[in-house]
């Protein structure tokens, strides 16, 4: 079973606060990306996916969108080239419609390529 590994999930409150306070941000289509890079020994990449309850009120639909984003990220995470960096990412989905997987995967690819250029 392929899934996002536990070490790849961003769940530290301190790192999440730093990400939203000190991190950089950009928006591509209906996905807002927060990211933070810190130099360390080795490499570390952690992500978090947010779908607001205000835009998608049903939990089943929110969870489906989260699964789609995580899967498209998991498949394409090799597009990010890290060199002795700790990267924390947050994907914030802003649309009120459930996207198709193919269109979402294209957006995630563009986002990862853009992050690769900026890190």
């Amino acid at each position: 079973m392929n899934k996002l590994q536990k070490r790849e999930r961003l769940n530290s409150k301190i790192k999440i606060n730093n990400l939203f306070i000190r991190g950089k941000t950009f928006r591509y289509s209906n996905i807002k990306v927060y990211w933070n890079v810190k130099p360390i020994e080795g490499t570390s990449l952690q992500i978090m996916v947010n779908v607001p309850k205000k835009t998608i009120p049903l939990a089943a639909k929110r969870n489906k969108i989260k699964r789609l984003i995580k899967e498209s990220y998991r498949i394409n995470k090799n597009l990010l080239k890290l060199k002795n960096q700790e990267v924390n990412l947050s994907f914030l989905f802003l649309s009120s419609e459930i996207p198709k997987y193919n269109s979402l995967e294209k957006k995630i690819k563009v986002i990862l390529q853009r992050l690769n250029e900026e890190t």
Side-chain angles (χ1 to χ4, degrees):
M1 181 174 181
N2 295 328
K3 64 179 185 175
L4 200 62
Q5 295 179 0
K6 186 170 184 171
R7 68 172 189 248
E8 293 180 289
R9 296 184 202 141
L10 182 61
N11 54 11
S12 166
K13 288 184 180 183
I14 295 170
K15 288 182 181 181
I16 292 171
N17 284 337
N18 287 338
L19 178 64
F20 287 113
I21 293 171
R22 298 189 186 110
K24 298 175 185 173
T25 182
F26 67 88
R27 183 176 173 175
Y28 180 75
S29 185
N30 54 4
I31 300 174
K32 190 170 185 179
V33 179
Y34 292 90
W35 58 284
N36 194 7
V37 178
K38 190 166 79 171
I40 60 165
E41 289 262 333
T43 59
S44 172
L45 178 61
Q46 294 181 326
I47 72 158
M48 177 174 67
V49 179
N50 301 317
V51 181
K53 189 175 184 178
K54 192 172 189 177
T55 58
I56 309 284
L58 291 176
K61 290 182 181 180
R62 282 196 310 274
N63 291 336
K64 180 176 182 172
I65 294 170
K66 289 179 193 178
R67 284 194 309 268
L68 291 173
I69 293 173
K70 286 177 190 176
E71 182 63 14
S72 60
Y73 163 78
R74 187 188 65 79
I75 290 172
N76 297 301
K77 67 183 172 187
N78 58 357
L79 295 175
L80 271 178
K81 307 291 187 229
L82 303 176
K83 297 174 189 131
N84 295 328
Q85 296 173 331
E86 176 185 4
V87 178
N88 297 327
L89 288 173
S90 173
F91 297 105
L92 179 62
F93 188 77
L94 300 173
S95 177
S96 60
E97 300 174 0
I98 297 177
K100 299 287 184 196
Y101 177 75
N102 293 333
S103 66
L104 188 62
E105 185 176 21
K106 289 177 187 175
K107 291 174 187 175
I108 296 293
K109 282 182 182 179
V110 171
I111 288 170
L112 292 177
Q113 289 169 350
R114 183 170 171 182
L115 283 171
N116 202 23
E117 294 168 1
E118 294 186 17
T119 56

